[in-house]
Amino acid sequence: MSPDSGQVAVRLTQQIEASGPISVAEYMRVANTAYYGRADPLGADGDFITAPEISQMFGEMVGIWLSDMWLRHRPATCHYVELGPGRGTLAADALRTMKRFGCEPAVHFLENSPAMRAKQLQAVRHAIFHDNLESLPTDAPLFVVANEFFDALPIRQMVSTQAGWRERVVVQDIGARFVAMPGACATDDLIPEQFRAAALGSIYEICPDASSIMHKLSDRLAKQGGVMLIIDYGYTQPALGDTLQAVQSHKYADPFHNPGQVDLTAHVDFFALSNCAKNCGLMLAGPSDQGAWLLGLGIDQRAQHLAASNPDRAADITAARNRLVEPDAMGALFKILATYAQGWPQPEGFGL
């Protein structure tokens, strides 16, 4: 069992007292490792809900997209790889759809939480678990899916001060609360030229873990073939801003209070992920708004069919469709980025 909130706070306090202020990235890493290790955070009784839990239609659209790529390239075999697969709901819905088209890949989950692994096995009984990317198979193309995975990775934050750009660090405040402040480490060389003269207090974020993972997977796809689908909330051009946030019981919370008991996330830099893929020689489609991508793949037709087959659930199906697609819900905030190996077909769904 992972440490409870009090133990996580004590651990962080001891670390700060022993070695001085810690980076926002280290704080986020310790807190989220404890948070995701303690229990299942998803669903109405948890802290947040993801698109696959809203409706089966989401996973089905992912399955249709992957099936289309498989049908048009026809590799002899392939591996389905999902990063942080939640309860396994997306994989179950996508794999069920892929099977209808004759595609039945081996299933690999990158997951470190024992609590979540147990849930995932209930959804996909033949899943193979991995602690890291290095153990993924090398013998066939990879079909990689990352839904709300990158947003939970630790970010470094740089803040503009009178003395120049400094890394933002975390210190002890009162009780189980911590506070962020500019540290002593100069980070001007990490700031893009267009932001060097930004107003005092401006924040610029980077996510080294995301870049490392993206580079490793992109290198794999370039060598083995395959595709990768990234679904997350984020931004598509370099930007300033503090995007670190916490969610508890479906409400926003203080990210520096009760570490290990709240879900810490940050907006994903799709521009940086795209550059990693391009630097490894991959092709790109998107980023596109989630709503436009789902509409392009036919979610409206699927919703109509489901509603006609289940008239007593028609209102719920329409509500789920709207939550996934409409701009004032998830449709515009969430982005879709596809990367694929040279020689593979151009993906569908990015034309709207």
Side-chain angles (χ1 to χ4, degrees):
M1 180 64 68
S2 295
D4 63 21
S5 175
Q7 290 175 311
V8 175
V10 168
R11 175 184 168 185
L12 287 166
T13 298
Q14 291 174 341
Q15 186 174 345
I16 291 168
E17 289 175 346
S19 306
I22 60 174
S23 67
V24 168
E26 176 64 12
Y27 173 85
M28 191 174 175
R29 187 187 311 279
V30 171
N32 270 357
T33 298
Y35 175 80
Y36 285 106
R38 65 183 174 85
D40 176 6
L42 292 165
D45 296 329
D47 292 324
F48 59 92
I49 188 167
T50 59
E53 304 295 334
I54 292 172
S55 171
Q56 70 186 70
M57 294 184 289
F58 185 83
E60 289 170 348
M61 293 301 107
V62 172
I64 286 172
W65 187 88
L66 292 171
S67 297
D68 176 68
M69 295 296 287
W70 178 76
L71 286 167
R72 288 193 285 144
H73 193 77
R74 286 288 183 178
T77 185
C78 63
H79 299 279
Y80 176 95
V81 177
E82 190 167 344
L83 313 181
R87 291 175 170 172
T89 305
L90 188 157
D93 291 336
L95 292 164
R96 184 183 67 251
T97 302
M98 294 168 73
K99 187 176 181 178
R100 289 175 45 215
F101 292 95
C103 183
E104 298 184 67
V107 181
H108 304 266
F109 287 163
L110 187 75
E111 178 62 69
N112 297 118
S113 166
M116 297 312 297
R117 283 189 176 191
K119 290 286 180 73
Q120 292 154 12
L121 272 180
Q122 292 175 12
V124 184
R125 297 189 180 279
H126 56 288
I128 302 165
F129 291 102
H130 299 265
D131 294 320
N132 53 60
L133 299 175
E134 285 69 25
S135 63
L136 290 175
T138 59
D139 63 336
L142 304 179
F143 282 26
V144 184
V145 177
N147 178 59
E148 292 199 51
F149 170 79
F150 285 100
D151 63 84
L153 298 178
I155 57 164
R156 293 179 65 186
Q157 289 187 323
M158 272 56 73
V159 57
S160 176
T161 73
Q162 293 278 10
W165 286 87
R166 296 290 184 266
E167 181 149 16
R168 209 169 179 224
V169 297
V170 178
V171 298
Q172 178 77 38
D173 192 9
I174 299 173
R177 194 182 188 285
F178 296 82
V179 65
M181 60 181 289
C185 180
T187 56
D188 299 80
D189 58 335
L190 297 177
I191 310 302
E193 188 64 38
Q194 70 262 40
F195 298 138
R196 294 275 175 91
L200 295 180
S202 297
I203 290 176
Y204 179 73
E205 299 175 343
I206 60 173
C207 186
D209 283 18
S211 296
S212 174
I213 289 169
M214 192 68 184
H215 181 84
K216 290 177 182 178
L217 283 171
S218 297
D219 188 56
R220 283 291 200 96
L221 291 181
K223 293 175 180 176
Q224 294 174 230
V227 299
M228 182 173 182
L229 195 65
I230 301 170
I231 308 151
D232 228 313
Y233 52 89
Y235 48 100
T236 59
Q237 293 295 323
L240 295 172
D242 178 6
T243 74
L244 179 64
Q245 63 186 33
V247 172
Q248 186 175 37
S249 299
H250 302 272
K251 297 179 181 178
Y252 287 110
D254 183 347
F256 298 107
H257 187 59
N258 289 330
Q261 290 290 302
V262 297
D263 176 42
L264 297 180
T265 64
H267 286 213
V268 174
D269 183 351
F270 280 91
F271 184 80
L273 296 183
S274 297
N275 279 340
C276 286
K278 286 191 289 188
N279 289 340
C280 289
L282 296 186
M283 307 295 288
L284 302 178
S288 170
D289 287 353
Q290 175 176 292
W293 185 79
L294 291 171
L295 289 171
L297 291 175
I299 192 172
D300 277 349
Q301 291 83 350
R302 180 56 175 153
Q304 290 165 9
H305 177 78
L306 280 175
S309 302
N310 305 272
D312 57 323
R313 293 181 50 234
D316 291 338
I317 292 167
T318 298
R321 176 266 179 209
N322 292 343
R323 186 170 178 183
L324 293 171
V325 169
E326 292 302 321
D328 59 351
M330 299 174 70
L333 175 62
F334 279 75
K335 311 297 180 187
I336 311 279
L337 171 66
T339 70
Y340 54 105
Q342 298 275 355
W344 281 64
Q346 184 175 346
E348 295 292 337
F350 294 90
L352 291 182

